Amino acid sequence: QVRLQESGPGLVKSSETLSLTCTVSGDSINNYFWSWIRQPPGKGLEWVAYTFFGGSTKYNPSLKSRVAISVDTSKNQFSLNLDSVTAADTAMYYCARVIVDSQHLYFDPWGQGTLVTVSS
Amino acid sequence: QTVVTQEPSLTVSPGGTVTLTCASSTGAVTNNYYPQWFQQKPGQAPRPLIYNTGNKYSWTPARFSGSLLGGKAALILSGVQADDEADYYCLLYYGGNGVVFGGGTKVAVL
């Protein structure tokens, strides 16, 4: 059974870089796409980015200039960096596996999420 | 910017049926958008319910079903139970532009 666990600082200062890691257990990170999704308090879900270890990466156009996603196959982890954060980046950040093939595309499973607060 | 629209809120009586829809600003939703539906309860991570329009997971209750309806993706809840009170989100795939979540529908069971 695949499990995902987010980790990283719960508090980031405004204008600094938010860095999170998702650790994957139960399967190899080489075999799938991996994604970050976020949810501001009391608001809806927002897709941030997804990537495949081979290099295919897509970013939310609204965040593209500030975000980077990377994969560390040696640690079976993938990471998110979001630059120049503001209070608007305060959110629960989830990581998820993305199943992609010729007939399917879906996000499952998800991690439990980690809350990141941007302080001034 | 692509927008995916869901009903902000819906109310249904116990045992009743309610249909949630998911519309794309780009036009009619088809199977090529790989519609997916999630249920989220307070303090919990979203839980996948439906993928690829109408496919269920092993944990998806039989009373939940997904389809295409009038150019939109739809999630139908039949025989609604109190436990179904939650927020529901749809997700659509836009190829090179990635994916977009709908704004979510809050379902109240009253």
Side-chain angles (χ1 to χ4, degrees):
Chain A
Q1 183 179 5
V2 177
R3 294 187 183 272
L4 289 76
Q5 180 65 57
E6 304 87 349
S7 60
L11 190 64
V12 180
K13 292 184 178 179
S14 183
S15 81
E16 296 189 346
T17 297
L18 179 161
S19 296
L20 297 174
T21 297
C22 182
T23 300
V24 179
S25 59
D27 202 345
S28 171
I29 203 167
N30 295 342
N31 299 332
Y32 302 99
F33 281 75
W34 304 92
S35 183
W36 288 97
I37 304 103
R38 69 180 186 178
Q39 185 173 34
K43 296 187 178 181
L45 299 168
E46 180 183 34
W47 169 69
V48 176
Y50 59 64
T51 189
F52 186 72
F53 88 98
S56 178
T57 300
K58 297 294 181 187
Y59 297 112
N60 184 321
S62 68
L63 300 170
K64 189 174 182 178
S65 64
R66 299 193 292 130
V67 67
I69 187 172
S70 60
V71 175
D72 186 339
T73 56
S74 66
K75 296 181 179 179
N76 227 42
Q77 296 175 334
F78 64 104
S79 299
L80 173 72
N81 279 349
L82 182 63
D83 297 331
S84 305
V85 298
T86 69
D89 295 310
T90 293
M92 184 72 79
Y93 284 78
Y94 297 100
C95 59
R97 181 181 65 175
V98 188
I99 302 295
V100 180
D101 61 34
S102 59
Q103 297 182 1
H104 303 90
L105 188 148
Y106 55 91
F107 287 59
D108 172 63
W110 293 48
Q112 284 302 299
T114 187
L115 179 63
V116 179
T117 301
V118 177
S119 68
S120 56
Chain B
Q1 184 177 355
T2 302
V3 176
V4 176
T5 301
Q6 299 181 243
E7 297 83 4
S9 64
L10 292 170
T11 300
V12 59
S13 300
T17 297
V18 65
T19 300
L20 288 64
T21 66
C22 177
S24 173
S25 62
T26 61
V29 176
T30 67
N31 289 326
N32 292 333
Y33 285 77
Y34 299 99
Q36 188 172 11
W37 292 91
F38 302 86
Q39 178 191 65
Q40 187 179 34
K41 295 183 177 180
Q44 298 182 13
R47 182 178 72 150
L49 282 178
I50 300 286
Y51 67 96
N52 288 11
T53 303
N55 292 287
K56 300 181 184 183
Y57 293 88
S58 59
W59 56 82
T60 304
R63 61 184 180 275
F64 290 84
S65 62
S67 68
L68 297 178
L69 192 64
K72 302 177 185 180
L75 177 69
I76 301 104
L77 284 64
S78 305
V80 170
Q81 299 180 4
D83 187 54
D84 299 331
E85 190 162 282
D87 294 329
Y88 293 84
Y89 293 92
C90 68
L91 173 72
L92 299 179
Y93 172 67
Y94 290 89
N97 292 321
V99 300
V100 179
F101 284 95
T105 297
K106 182 177 292 293
V107 172
V109 181
L110 298 174

